[in-house]
Amino acid sequence: AEAVAGDVTGIVLPACHIFGLSALVSTWLDGNTVVMIPRFDPGLVLEQLQAHRVTIFAALPVMLNALVHHPTAASFDLSAMRVCIAGGDAVATELQRRFKATFGCDVTEACGMTEVQPYACNPLYGRGKVGSIGKAAPGATLRLVDPFDVDVAAGEPGEVLVRSGATMIGYWNDAENTAATIRNGWLGTGDLARLD
């Protein structure tokens, strides 16, 4: 997220995975505050987001779904939240609509993996696209390929390949899996997408 002085990032994701770690480190690098919520319990998370006036929240779609379905969700004041980033799975259109209606904040979809960090994200401000992982993240180049690593045409499904300065150099002591994942300088994500 584009930092603003005084931002407070709420994190309920494990910091041993890239999504939680990225949110944690980027907040520290910006010199802002991190609120580590110790476990995912919808009531506890809503209380912490309200109590600490969290401005940026990073979560999985399943977590957002539990928050909007909490029996007292509408009674919490999350008006300080200006950015909610979701990854790890697609965010259903109805969940995006309900989250915005309940808490007043849009959900921004992003996509990544530990081997390469976030590689795609919808714009945080301005025009995003519901049901899309967005555009290539800064510093990342993306390709969509068939099973033979040949680029597919726009509109056709293909595996997302990524080239980035944040790409891993390899799996520890596992040359075979490294060679299968990093192919001609491109990291194969195993994720399928379409380019519109």
Side-chain angles (χ1 to χ4, degrees), residues 3-9 30-33 52-53 55:
V4 172
D7 264 336
V8 177
T9 300
D30 291 332
N32 286 320
T33 302
H52 295 283
R53 305 284 299 153
T55 60

Side-chain angles (χ1 to χ4, degrees), residues 6-193:
D7 264 336
V8 177
T9 300
I11 302 173
V12 69
L13 301 162
C16 60
H17 291 276
I18 198 63
F19 193 8
L21 183 62
S22 292
L24 180 69
V25 171
S26 64
T27 304
W28 283 345
L29 290 174
D30 291 332
N32 286 320
T33 302
V34 174
V35 174
M36 295 294 294
I37 304 169
R39 68 185 181 289
F40 185 75
D41 169 272
L44 172 67
V45 171
L46 290 166
E47 289 169 7
Q48 293 295 298
L49 295 176
Q50 176 179 277
H52 295 283
R53 305 284 299 153
V54 166
T55 60
I56 300 172
F57 182 52
L60 303 174
V62 68
M63 295 172 171
L64 301 181
N65 192 55
L67 294 180
V68 299
H69 285 94
H70 188 273
T72 61
S75 69
F76 288 90
D77 176 8
L78 304 189
S79 60
M81 189 183 305
R82 61 184 185 81
V83 176
C84 177
I85 301 175
D89 199 357
V91 184
T93 303
E94 174 57 22
L95 175 56
Q96 291 195 29
R97 186 203 61 74
R98 188 162 180 177
F99 193 88
K100 172 78 172 184
T102 305
F103 303 120
C105 183
D106 289 316
V107 176
T108 299
E109 285 189 77
C111 197
M113 57 194 288
T114 299
E115 290 87 341
V116 70
Q117 296 191 330
Y119 62 77
C121 187
N122 267 283
L124 293 173
Y125 307 102
R127 187 177 154 212
K129 185 172 183 182
V130 174
S132 170
I133 61 170
K135 298 180 178 186
T141 303
L142 307 179
R143 290 175 55 206
L144 300 181
V145 299
D146 67 15
F148 304 101
D149 284 352
V150 175
D151 292 333
V152 298
E156 296 295 316
E159 179 188 7
V160 179
L161 300 186
V162 182
R163 182 178 278 163
S164 165
T167 303
M168 70 167 185
I169 56 172
Y171 294 111
W172 180 255
N173 292 330
D174 194 343
E176 184 178 337
N177 277 326
T178 298
T181 302
I182 301 176
R183 307 182 311 256
N184 296 317
W186 292 87
L187 184 132
T189 65
D191 295 334
L192 295 177

